[in-house]
Amino acid sequence: MIVCKSAAELELMREAGRIVAETHRLLKQAIRPGVTTAELDRLAEAYIRSRGAVPSFKGYNQFPASICTSVNDELVHGIPGPRVLKEGDIISIDIGAQYRGYHGDSAWTYPVGEISEEHRRLLEVTERSLMEGLKHVKAGVRLYTVSHAIQRVVEEAGMSVVREYVGHGIGAKLHEEPQIPNYGIPDRGPRLKAGMTLAIEPMVILGERYVRTLEDNWTVVTVDGTWCAHFEHTVAVTEDGCEILTMIRD
């Protein structure tokens, strides 16, 4: 069942989303050659807790850290640790925060110093696919119209959409219905209603779409070793569009 949120619930999700967005802003400033992914994790957890929230991911299905840090050919669920970022790397950071019982969730892929033009284009295409998908989010639209818009941007750029991992509903639980693939046939799927809250998250690979999980049972990497990117916003469906909850509006 897809849950529509009340005005009070949406207000709590706005605050959770703002905390996530602020944590991204903090980590963006900290990303540089020489920093470890564990340092980024410590910064994120300290900030989330300082804002009266708790990290959504820590302990979730026994995940050991507060954020996911996925570098280069790592798609999602990378575990922070001693890895030192190098000039030319890219890092996908997925952050979740629970505030008074409600979650916000957002991922962004960042350059480490100067990166290649190929990898800069990967980031640009993935972010653009997310924003194109969000243009189609509004009450009355069928969900896979959003999915198709994401797929079209990615495949027209000659890149691949991951099939095994999808976006999701979000609210009192980190993962709620519906599942939101990043590919699909338009005008199919459940019809969106005002008050639904969704985590929409394109995951894009430069090469072929196939992925595998490492022996840590968390980190997902590309099979062909090409690099990948991950962008995600939590949004609330409105009558005439969507409200991005994981964006700072100063």
Side-chain angles (χ1 to χ4, degrees):
M1 183 175 67
I2 304 173
V3 179
C4 292
K5 309 305 188 294
S6 68
E9 289 174 311
L10 286 173
E11 193 55 42
L12 292 173
M13 291 191 68
R14 287 187 187 98
E15 187 58 26
R18 182 177 180 88
I19 292 166
V20 168
E22 290 172 349
T23 308
H24 268 289
R25 181 169 62 182
L26 175 68
L27 295 191
K28 181 180 180 180
Q29 296 168 350
I31 292 169
R32 62 185 183 279
V35 74
T36 68
T37 55
E39 290 175 285
L40 297 176
D41 184 64
R42 286 193 292 270
L43 275 175
E45 180 170 3
Y47 185 77
I48 290 168
R49 293 189 185 280
S50 78
R51 295 284 277 106
V54 296
S56 298
F57 302 161
K58 193 164 191 177
Y60 183 79
N61 291 335
Q62 300 183 323
F63 188 75
S66 294
I67 61 174
C68 300
T69 54
S70 306
V71 181
N72 299 342
D73 65 335
E74 297 172 351
L75 179 73
V76 289
H77 305 158
I79 301 172
R83 182 169 186 165
V84 177
L85 297 181
K86 305 188 302 296
E87 183 85 15
D89 285 344
I90 59 174
I91 179 170
S92 298
I93 295 182
D94 197 353
I95 301 172
Q98 183 189 52
Y99 178 77
R100 297 186 182 179
Y102 286 83
H103 296 271
D105 185 7
S106 174
W108 222 251
T109 305
Y110 298 99
V112 181
E114 291 297 320
I115 63 174
S116 72
E117 183 56 37
E118 179 184 42
H119 295 138
R120 189 169 301 282
R121 183 168 175 266
L122 168 67
L123 270 56
E124 183 273 326
V125 167
T126 310
E127 181 178 0
R128 178 157 50 87
S129 75
L130 169 61
M131 303 314 292
E132 184 63 28
L134 296 187
K135 289 179 184 177
H136 294 267
V137 176
K138 68 176 180 179
V141 170
R142 290 196 180 275
L143 180 61
Y144 299 160
T145 299
V146 178
S147 303
H148 177 76
I150 292 169
Q151 179 183 12
R152 187 179 66 248
V153 170
V154 173
E155 294 183 350
E156 285 179 354
M159 301 178 191
S160 300
V161 171
V162 174
R163 304 296 178 104
E164 292 82 356
Y165 297 89
V166 298
H168 51 91
I170 185 170
K173 296 180 180 178
L174 180 60
H175 293 101
E176 299 181 349
E177 290 298 323
Q179 293 192 9
I180 308 170
N182 295 304
Y183 62 95
I185 300 171
D187 299 317
R188 301 279 182 90
R191 196 175 297 279
L192 300 180
K193 296 181 180 179
M196 290 180 177
T197 47
L198 311 171
I200 297 174
E201 48 181 323
M203 289 159 268
V204 176
I205 300 176
L206 270 173
E208 296 186 344
R209 68 173 181 85
Y210 303 105
V211 296
R212 63 185 179 90
T213 303
L214 298 184
E215 291 181 359
D216 63 14
N217 291 321
W218 280 106
T219 307
V220 177
V221 301
T222 64
V223 169
D224 64 9
T226 57
W227 290 13
C228 44
H230 179 201
F231 284 77
E232 174 186 23
H233 270 313
T234 297
V235 303
V237 179
T238 66
E239 291 293 347
D240 58 358
C242 72
E243 177 186 355
I244 300 175
L245 303 179
T246 45
M247 178 181 288
I248 297 172
R249 292 178 173 84
D250 291 325

